[in-house]
Amino acid sequence: MIGLTVGIFLLILSLTLAITYWAAKRTNTASEFYAAGGSLSAKENGFALAGDWMSAAAFLGFSGLVALYGMDGSLYAVAALVGFLVVLMLIAEPMRNTGRFTLGDVIAERMQSRHARLAAVVGTIVVNLAYMVPQMAGAGALIKLMLGISYDASIVLVGIGMIVYVLFGGMIATTWVQIVKAVLLLAAAIVLVVMLLAAVSFHPLTLFASVEHTYGPKMLMPGNYLKHPLDVLSLFMSFIFGVAGLPHIMTRFYTVPDARTARKSVLWLMFLAGGFFLVTTLIGFAAATFVGQPAILAADKGGNLALPLLAQYLGGGVGTLGGQVFLAAICAIAFAAILAVVAGLTLASSGAIAHDLYVNVIRKGRVSEHDQVRVAKIATLAVGAIAVGFGLLAQGINVGVLVILAIAVAASANFPIIFLSLFWRRFNTAGVIGGIAVGLISSVVLALLGPAFLQGKAIFPIVNPTILSMPLGFMGALLGTWIGGRNPAHEARFDAFSFKAHSGMVVNKEQ
């Protein structure tokens, strides 16, 4: 059985490595390494964005939360559906028009300041690492289940895989691995849902009735995990505003040729990922019914293996050929999914270090294309090593919860400075630094003091700190702007910046 599992796993892994080899031959310039040369179509980028968004949190974490906590887990999935509305309506087009490779490009274009770019680098790296840790934890749990090796060895294996993807293939490889992974995930979800519906004679209400009979009516009501009255509001605020502050998502808008294509790619994403998120409730309840909460908790106390265990059950059960094949296929697809996501996060982080910090802050733009790519690859190794270290510490925590906390940090630190840079004339470099500093510190501290980490001993009562930390981030940005003072020359540049952000054209200064 182990040989069959390893065979399926290696087959899917070989496919992704073949894509990386193909992409490596087409990755020579900085634009190709960071942004795939800006040549992707709306459909290609939409599938890649969907692959980014359908991460370990969706495939493992959300279904695990539903299996353990019922409708509270469903709220996470529903909130994910609305996460891109702000991006579609306010952020996608200006980001594409004012940046080149990184989130820091947009801030630097607005502020014309290396200090502002440096603050954006800090926000990018902290958010990316916070988002990367749950992906690593999910992958570690999967490999441990699938191959029978230790969690620590699994994390190291994931780290090596993501470094290979980014180091040799850059954004081209990461994009096409995401596209393949999105197709595989959607196909696996369809098969899984059809099989679980067949198990209840295609009467979904039978499934809900079974859950109520086994675990009581509370399982179908909110309040099992999100206990504070403001938890749901804070959760939705995290998604609605946090997605616009995720660097690895935002940098995808540089991979398309124009702003119109960027907007269309968001529509593709919402269509593809929306359908995927809708079925996580069925998958979670089916896991609770057929596998059982005790078995789910025994496999992983965070509930992250509910879906793979359900796949094993629907395939015929433990020890059967069908169960082992379906388990191996689901685990391998999920592993490829996580590898692709962490590769995108690693690429965004290495871009911030190499392009923003090294090229534009330290070397002031005087760097050759070859040297920039070389530094980016060195940064990839460093980011990969740090991600492995943090991943080792995250064993046993539900990855869906960790991902939403990362999005809360993005909503509190990155979103305020992006929004104010795009829409407030007076906003200045001191405001960028104040917003990043207050948003990061408040969101991280409140998250660590909350129920997600301290459980019954929580000091801060709300799971997702966005409801407090995001206003604090805006207050930090406003206070910093006030302390920095008025600068007429800086404010005069806003009209040209705003025109470029919303039209894609540059003001002719000679007119």
Side-chain angles (χ1 to χ4, degrees):
M1 292 294 183
I2 291 293
L4 177 64
T5 302
V6 173
I8 295 174
F9 170 74
L10 291 178
L11 177 64
I12 294 179
L13 187 62
S14 298
L15 175 61
T16 59
L17 289 174
I19 293 172
T20 303
Y21 176 77
W22 166 81
K25 296 181 177 181
R26 292 157 177 80
T27 303
N28 300 303
T29 67
S31 176
E32 290 167 342
F33 185 82
Y34 292 129
S39 60
L40 299 182
S41 68
K43 183 186 295 186
E44 290 169 344
N45 198 43
F47 267 90
L49 276 166
D52 261 324
W53 199 225
M54 295 185 300
S55 63
F59 205 53
L60 303 176
F62 292 170
S63 55
L65 283 174
V66 174
L68 297 181
Y69 301 105
M71 293 307 296
D72 278 359
S74 298
L75 290 175
Y76 277 78
V78 172
L81 290 176
V82 301
F84 280 86
L85 292 177
V86 169
V87 175
L88 177 64
M89 294 186 292
L90 295 178
I91 304 298
E93 183 173 350
M95 280 286 296
R96 175 61 186 81
N97 290 336
T98 56
R100 188 183 178 202
F101 299 141
T102 66
L103 184 139
D105 283 340
V106 178
I107 306 302
E109 174 77 14
R110 168 73 172 91
M111 299 300 162
Q112 302 292 306
S113 165
R114 285 186 295 148
H115 294 95
R117 188 186 284 271
L118 184 59
V121 170
V122 174
T124 295
I125 293 175
V126 171
V127 170
N128 282 347
L129 285 176
Y131 202 95
M132 198 179 298
V133 169
Q135 312 300 332
M136 300 289 288
L142 275 175
I143 299 303
K144 179 183 177 182
L145 173 68
M146 185 166 54
L147 302 182
I149 62 177
S150 70
Y151 176 86
D152 292 355
S154 302
I155 291 293
V156 173
L157 180 62
V158 177
I160 293 172
M162 74 178 183
I163 288 172
V164 168
Y165 284 168
V166 177
L167 207 60
F168 296 103
M171 181 59 86
I172 297 175
T174 302
T175 295
W176 283 100
V177 169
Q178 289 284 25
I179 291 172
V180 171
K181 160 242 181 147
V183 173
L184 290 174
L185 273 181
L186 290 168
I190 291 170
V191 172
L192 197 61
V193 169
V194 170
M195 291 181 70
L196 72 86
L197 287 176
V200 293
S201 303
F202 292 93
H203 294 297
L205 293 180
T206 303
L207 182 62
F208 290 88
S210 298
V211 170
E212 183 178 12
H213 175 74
T214 305
Y215 300 102
K218 281 189 65 177
M219 193 71 170
L220 301 180
M221 300 172 63
N224 296 312
Y225 183 76
L226 301 173
K227 299 182 182 298
H228 195 278
L230 295 177
D231 263 324
V232 175
L233 176 60
S234 192
L235 171 66
F236 275 80
M237 287 178 64
S238 295
F239 269 111
I240 291 170
F241 301 107
V243 174
L246 292 175
H248 76 292
I249 296 289
M250 294 299 101
T251 53
R252 282 227 153 264
F253 297 124
Y254 303 137
T255 65
V256 295
D258 51 51
R260 182 172 180 268
T261 307
R263 290 195 305 272
K264 290 176 67 177
S265 63
V266 176
L267 294 175
W268 272 100
L269 157 71
M270 294 176 73
F271 172 74
L272 295 168
F276 182 83
F277 285 125
L278 285 175
V279 301
T280 56
T281 297
L282 283 176
I283 292 172
F285 280 136
T289 299
F290 299 131
V291 179
Q293 290 181 352
I296 294 171
L297 289 169
D300 181 87
K301 64 180 182 180
N304 299 311
L305 297 179
L307 188 149
L309 292 175
L310 174 65
Q312 186 177 50
Y313 173 88
L314 294 174
V318 179
T320 67
L321 179 62
Q324 199 67 20
V325 169
F326 202 21
L327 172 66
I330 292 293
C331 286
I333 292 170
F335 180 73
I338 294 169
L339 265 185
V341 172
V342 294
L345 290 162
T346 304
L347 186 61
S349 300
S350 64
I353 295 170
H355 176 70
D356 289 325
L357 180 61
Y358 178 74
V359 174
N360 288 289
V361 174
I362 297 175
R363 296 295 300 274
K364 301 179 182 179
R366 296 188 291 271
V367 179
S368 67
E369 288 253 339
H370 178 268
D371 284 346
Q372 183 173 177
V373 174
R374 178 179 58 83
V375 173
K377 291 183 176 181
I378 294 173
T380 296
L381 293 173
V383 171
I386 294 171
V388 167
F390 280 115
L392 294 174
L393 301 175
Q395 184 176 11
I397 302 177
N398 183 275
V399 295
V401 174
L402 287 177
V403 162
I404 304 309
L405 293 178
I407 296 176
V409 177
S412 306
N414 288 346
F415 176 72
I417 66 166
I418 294 172
F419 181 81
L420 294 174
S421 292
L422 293 173
F423 299 104
W424 189 26
R425 177 186 298 274
R426 188 176 170 181
F427 193 48
N428 57 29
T429 296
V432 172
I433 296 172
I436 287 285
V438 175
L440 281 180
I441 293 171
S442 63
S443 57
V444 172
V445 170
L446 291 174
L448 292 176
L449 296 177
F453 290 92
L454 298 183
Q455 282 83 42
K457 300 178 181 179
I459 298 172
F460 182 70
I462 303 174
V463 175
N464 301 290
T466 306
I467 195 168
L468 178 58
S469 57
M470 190 176 79
L472 288 175
F474 271 103
M475 287 179 61
L478 296 173
L479 182 62
T481 300
W482 178 74
I483 293 174
R486 301 294 294 265
N487 184 333
H490 169 75
E491 293 177 28
R493 292 196 298 266
F494 178 74
D495 289 334
F497 170 83
S498 183
F499 181 77
K500 180 180 179 180
H502 298 290
S503 70
M505 297 183 287
V506 178
V507 175
N508 187 344
K509 296 181 180 180
E510 297 179 358
Q511 294 180 347

